[in-house]
Each structure stands twice: as structure tokens, then as C-alpha cells.
Amino acid sequence: MWRNSLILLGCLAASPAMGLSPSPDTDSGPGADQSGGPSAEPSQGEDAKASVAKDILSRIETGWPKYDATRKGQLTFAEFSSWMNDLRAENGNGPADDSIMRLAFALTDSTHDGTVSKDELTTFMLSRNNVKTSPNR
């Protein structure tokens, strides 16, 4: 649960996922062929990205019912803030600065309708954690 909290909180920290974002694949090390180029086998970076995606999807699925108090399938700014600040508290941090929270909400609300859907939150968290797609999407 701790790792999941850090992943989701990437939008509220100074750096994405508080430094837990998977690093980009390189042309050497595990997963590279002898010519120095990427091999056809999945690299550790790809495995890490898949793990991050699964963590994000799981955490959003389990947390959504608690924070979508209106049961309308949308989070208001207050619901979004409550969730993000609860995650920060789980990690021993105080509430995020209001301006940071408003920026995170605005970036997540891709439709600019004043609410955040589960899809918007998922898309934002995946992109914020350098995961382009998830295994289940």
C-alpha cells in the first residue's frame, strides 16, 4: 500500500512519483542484446512500468468508492483533495499546498468540467508516472 500511495502522490510531489518512476530503458544492461541495442525480451524497465500501472489501477479501483461520495462517477475538487491528502498522511506528510492541489486537479480534469472522472484520474496518474499504457487498457 505504501508504494501505491507514493505513486498516486506523484502529482503532488516535487518530482514524479517521489522518485519512484520507472527509469527509461537504456541500451545496456539486462534486456540488451550483445550489440548494445534493446533485445526482444521485456526489459526490467518494462516490467517496472507494468507493475506501476497495475498498482495505479488497483489503488484507483479500491479507493474510488470511498472518495466518490456523491456516487456520480466524478470527483469534485474537495473529494480529490481529500483523497490526495489522505495518501500524503499515510506517508507521514502534511496536506499539500492549496495551489499545488488546484494545479493537480486542473491537470487531471482534462475535460475542464470541474470534476475528475475515474478515466481522467487513471490517465493522469499513468502519464505522471511515465506509463504510456496499462496492461488492462
Side-chain angles (χ1 to χ4, degrees):
M1 182 182 261
W2 174 80
R3 176 184 157 103
N4 293 336
S5 298
L6 290 176
I7 290 167
L8 286 177
L9 285 172
C11 68
L12 303 176
S15 62
M18 297 183 180
L20 291 180
S21 293
S23 59
D25 295 335
T26 60
D27 289 342
S28 62
D33 66 20
Q34 291 183 340
S35 67
S39 69
E41 296 177 24
S43 70
Q44 288 179 346
E46 290 170 356
D47 290 343
K49 287 180 182 183
S51 176
V52 168
K54 286 179 185 177
D55 288 346
I56 290 169
L57 294 172
S58 174
R59 187 61 182 241
I60 290 173
E61 281 302 315
T62 59
W64 190 268
K66 176 180 178 182
Y67 294 96
D68 180 17
T70 61
R71 302 289 185 252
K72 292 184 178 180
Q74 304 287 327
L75 297 179
T76 64
F77 175 73
E79 292 165 336
F80 176 87
S81 297
S82 176
W83 193 351
M84 296 301 118
N85 280 321
D86 285 353
L87 292 173
R88 289 181 55 82
E90 286 177 20
N91 292 297
N93 298 308
D97 180 75
D98 187 64
S99 63
I100 298 294
M101 191 67 72
R102 289 192 183 283
L103 176 61
F105 185 80
L107 290 171
T108 306
D109 179 15
S110 63
T111 60
H112 311 292
D113 65 357
T115 62
V116 170
S117 70
K118 191 185 296 186
D119 283 344
E120 285 174 316
L121 182 61
T122 301
T123 298
F124 179 72
M125 290 301 178
L126 290 172
S127 68
R128 184 67 182 170
N129 286 282
N130 201 27
V131 180
K132 303 299 181 214
T133 59
S134 72
N136 299 326
R137 294 183 94 196

